[in-house]
Amino acid sequence: QVQLVESGGGLVQAGGSLRLSCAASGTIFSMNVMGWYRQTPGKQRELVAAITGSGGSTNYADSVKGRFTISRDNAKNTVYLQMNSLKPEDTAVYYCNLDQFGFGDYWGQGTQVAVSS
């Protein structure tokens, strides 16, 4: 009943920026955490950043602290990931996640981010 659609991925030079968007549709419960994960072939999907439903609390992987910013606009049912100072090691497929605890765990299809050196 919930759909997540990511957009904003692409190819950029090292040091560049991208802004990912994740638009959610369906019934979204107020008690939730949304996050961005990334995955490369042969590696486990890892958490990049997360934000609570109110937007009042965020968490980041150490590797992206100071470079990435997660935010959400509940009026638009959209979460964003602003990525600055991109590095080649940031290259991955980025996935949006909605965790509603006992009320559903949903994933988007992913958007490719490629950073060239």
Side-chain angles (χ1 to χ4, degrees):
Q1 64 179 19
V2 174
Q3 295 186 60
L4 304 176
V5 180
E6 302 102 331
S7 62
L11 173 64
V12 298
Q13 295 272 4
S17 298
L18 284 173
R19 190 190 192 202
L20 306 183
S21 298
C22 174
S25 62
T27 301
I28 310 299
F29 292 90
S30 59
M31 182 182 294
N32 69 77
V33 174
M34 295 191 72
W36 288 96
Y37 291 71
R38 66 187 181 188
Q39 187 170 30
T40 57
K43 295 183 64 178
Q44 187 174 346
R45 190 172 299 183
E46 64 178 355
L47 176 67
V48 177
I51 187 168
T52 56
S54 67
S57 182
T58 58
N59 189 55
Y60 297 91
D62 288 342
S63 60
V64 306
K65 286 181 178 178
R67 299 189 297 120
F68 292 8
T69 302
I70 188 171
S71 62
R72 64 190 298 167
D73 183 346
N74 288 337
K76 297 181 178 180
N77 292 320
T78 301
V79 63
Y80 306 94
L81 185 67
Q82 179 66 47
M83 305 185 294
N84 298 325
S85 301
L86 283 162
K87 304 175 180 179
E89 49 263 48
D90 295 319
T91 296
V93 177
Y94 284 71
Y95 297 90
C96 180
N97 171 254
L98 169 64
D99 186 355
Q100 299 185 121
F101 305 100
F103 296 93
D105 187 9
Y106 300 91
W107 294 90
Q109 294 299 308
T111 185
Q112 177 71 56
V113 171
V115 184
S116 64
S117 60

